[in-house]
Amino acid sequence: MKRIFLVFVYGAYFLIPSAQSDLERCGSSVSVGTKRIVYYQIVNESVSLNSAPDYASDPIEPIIRWYRDGRLIAANKRLITFVAESGLNGSVYRFTVSEFRGDVIFESEDVVLIVGEIPRLELLSGRRLSFRETSNDTLKIRLDVAGVPRPSLRVVRPQNKSRVVSSAKFEIRSNAIHVRGLSLEDWGDYEVIASSCLGNVMINMSIKILGGVHQTNLTDTTKAILCSKNVEFTCTAVAHPKPSIEWVWNDTLLFDGRYGITEESVVAPDGHRHKITSTLKIIGVEREDNERGLIRCKSKNGIEETCVGFQLNVLCTPSACGFHFVQLTNDSIVANIDHPTDIGGFSVNHLRVLVYVFFDQQSSLISNNTYGPDQEFIKLKNLSSSSTYHFLCQASNALGYGEVGKFNAQTLGEPQSSVRINVSQSNCTSATLEFYSETVGINSQIRYEVLYTVLAGIQNEYNGTFSMASAIKERSNCPVTTLFNLEGNTKYAAVVRELNVYGAGAFSDPVHFETLCVADDAGMPAWQIIIISMGAAIYLVFVTFLYKRYKKN
């Protein structure tokens, strides 16, 4: 219980509270309108007002009357005591001193009673706050602040007790803290303090920064590795919330097997975010890996996704070289060189060509030459006709000889008489003939000459003779040819021979075939067509009648 005293000093009376420190904190000079506030009291606590005048000069004790808001509440009491209820907030108190005869000899000044409330504070946004890292948006932390007199607010960081109220970062407006441009430096704990003359209240809150993914260790993004060796790539991501990392190559997510993926998770150096380090190990790199593009490390944490590409250059020996043959005769071969499509990451030093000849199911080396990297063609002379030659070609770079290209070529031989004819298809006006030969050489060096003629009488059996005089001649560059504009339902005989640079071979044995035409409806008499049509119509009517009768029953 606190008391206020009225003291007569040098002809004037003053109201002085017993707890002077309360007035100092609450500010005794504060005014409400024209009424001077002289007292704060916590709600539901007792308060006492004491006039305490010195009446020693008057032999008869005067009469003291107490008034609240102009109404008499007590008489003949120097001290009045009551409970400071909230309904008394703003009440005006005064007292008068009267002589025994009733004349007022003193009337006090008005005293405004302020019923105070201890500060109350609540964070409506929660005490553990998470915000996205941003430099433009203004965030709002909502508060519920109450108390009489109204408390003042401030925000401090416990680690250094620095005040951040109304700074460029934290600004207090009414019942909210407005935050501008949170960054990683603002991550941590804070104290929100509400203060008044009746006390302080403090609430702790923590702020976490939900930021994007920051990838590090991005300097070693290109590696050159020898074929069949292992290689490792490392990708590090720092973020909050915790990021995840996956490896993608040529739009394919990498898993176990040829790939080994290990991951380590620690707290980042700033003490707040997560640091994830993922290492991709590729077992036995191959030449084909150069064609798969960048290896991509994707990091994401629900707020942002980042990606970094790693370049793998596989260094190998050259791919196979080869030939395409431009000319083959009976004793020479001329071929253009097909250089390697992949030189393995180095320059080609030279080409090595080995040539073997096959004879009686055995091979014998006849040429072993080395050519410069710009050699365009080779030519072999004085070869045996009707022979098969086996070519091997290798390109060399700084790592050695590469893959072996294997090719076969045959020198041209004389046309053979052992050509066979197969009639694969015949119809009313055409027939397709296929030729089979044992002549050594490639097809483009051989042509075919075909003779065909009509056999005398379609009813006669073929007697094995062939009339050259009446035969029709055609030539073909392919082992398959089609004879057109033949007569229907007619027997034919045909022979074939080979042609090449040596000349013409002997004609094959004759083969005979027949063009057969299938009769159509045009040859059917009209009366047969009419009878068939009427029968079909009667049958259709009868079946329909039976079906309807069946459904009705």
Side-chain angles (χ1 to χ4, degrees), residues 454-493:
V454 177
L455 295 177
I458 61 174
Q459 302 298 328
N460 298 332
E461 292 295 332
Y462 175 60
N463 57 12
T465 63
F466 187 87
S467 175
M468 291 287 188
S470 61
I472 301 175
K473 182 189 298 184
E474 287 193 9
R475 288 190 176 183
S476 173
N477 294 324
C478 298
V480 178
T481 187
T482 301
L483 306 178
F484 296 99
N485 300 320
L486 303 179
E487 297 180 8
N489 297 318
T490 304
K491 289 185 178 181
Y492 285 87

Side-chain angles (χ1 to χ4, degrees), residues 104-384:
V104 176
I105 60 175
F106 177 80
E107 183 174 356
S108 70
E109 296 182 6
D110 291 340
V111 177
V112 178
L113 175 64
I114 302 299
V115 180
E117 295 183 9
I118 297 175
R120 290 184 289 107
L121 176 62
E122 181 180 359
L123 282 172
L124 300 180
S125 300
R127 297 194 182 190
R128 291 179 175 85
L129 308 174
S130 297
F131 299 109
R132 293 194 179 190
E133 184 178 8
T134 176
S135 59
N136 299 320
D137 296 341
T138 298
L139 308 172
K140 180 187 289 187
I141 303 174
R142 295 183 299 114
L143 308 171
D144 183 10
V145 184
V148 180
R150 178 175 176 79
S152 60
L153 295 174
R154 67 182 187 274
V155 180
V156 300
R157 303 197 75 165
Q159 56 267 37
N160 54 17
K161 296 299 180 182
S162 61
R163 182 171 178 173
V164 293
V165 171
S166 300
S167 69
K169 185 71 64 174
F170 293 83
E171 180 182 359
I172 296 177
R173 302 181 197 167
S174 184
N175 283 11
I177 302 174
H178 296 260
V179 187
R180 298 185 184 90
L182 283 172
S183 62
L184 292 176
E185 290 75 16
D186 302 313
W187 190 315
D189 297 326
Y190 294 84
E191 293 177 353
V192 182
I193 302 173
S195 302
S196 76
C197 59
L198 299 181
N200 301 326
V201 62
M202 179 189 70
I203 292 181
N204 295 319
M205 72 174 183
S206 61
I207 293 179
K208 293 182 178 180
I209 309 302
L210 305 179
V213 179
H214 300 271
Q215 289 186 318
T216 60
N217 296 343
L218 303 182
T219 56
D220 194 12
T221 57
T222 300
K223 291 188 177 182
I225 304 297
L226 298 179
C227 268
S228 74
K229 299 296 183 179
N230 302 337
V231 64
E232 291 186 356
F233 293 99
T234 300
C235 182
T236 301
V238 180
H240 181 84
K242 184 177 180 180
S244 61
I245 294 178
E246 61 185 19
W247 294 88
V248 178
W249 199 1
N250 196 22
D251 296 329
T252 301
L253 186 63
L254 303 185
F255 291 102
D256 296 334
R258 182 189 176 196
Y259 313 103
I261 299 176
T262 58
E263 190 171 282
E264 179 185 17
S265 176
V266 297
V267 178
D270 57 30
H272 303 300
R273 296 179 296 170
H274 302 272
K275 180 181 179 182
I276 307 298
T277 301
S278 180
T279 300
L280 170 67
K281 183 176 183 180
I282 304 176
I283 308 298
V285 296
E286 304 169 351
R287 179 193 306 276
E288 292 74 14
D289 292 334
N290 285 325
E291 302 176 0
R292 299 181 63 184
L294 292 177
I295 301 170
R296 301 187 183 278
C297 169
K298 292 185 177 181
S299 305
K300 53 186 177 181
N301 69 340
I303 296 177
E304 185 181 20
E305 178 176 328
T306 59
C307 182
V308 60
F310 295 87
Q311 179 67 53
L312 173 61
N313 295 326
V314 182
L315 304 178
C316 303
T317 55
S319 60
C321 54
F323 307 95
H324 62 273
F325 300 102
V326 296
Q327 183 178 3
L328 293 95
T329 65
N330 63 316
D331 63 351
S332 66
I333 296 177
V334 178
N336 280 351
I337 297 178
D338 296 330
H339 289 83
T341 57
D342 180 5
I343 60 177
F346 300 96
S347 299
V348 173
N349 297 330
H350 57 265
L351 306 173
R352 182 171 65 181
V353 178
L354 292 82
V355 183
Y356 295 82
V357 62
F358 283 90
F359 184 76
D360 290 339
Q361 298 182 349
Q362 293 183 352
S363 63
S364 176
L365 180 66
I366 65 169
S367 177
N368 183 358
N369 291 316
T370 299
Y371 302 94
D374 299 326
Q375 185 77 15
E376 295 184 357
F377 67 92
I378 62 172
K379 182 176 182 180
L380 299 180
K381 297 182 178 180
N382 302 320
L383 304 178
S384 300

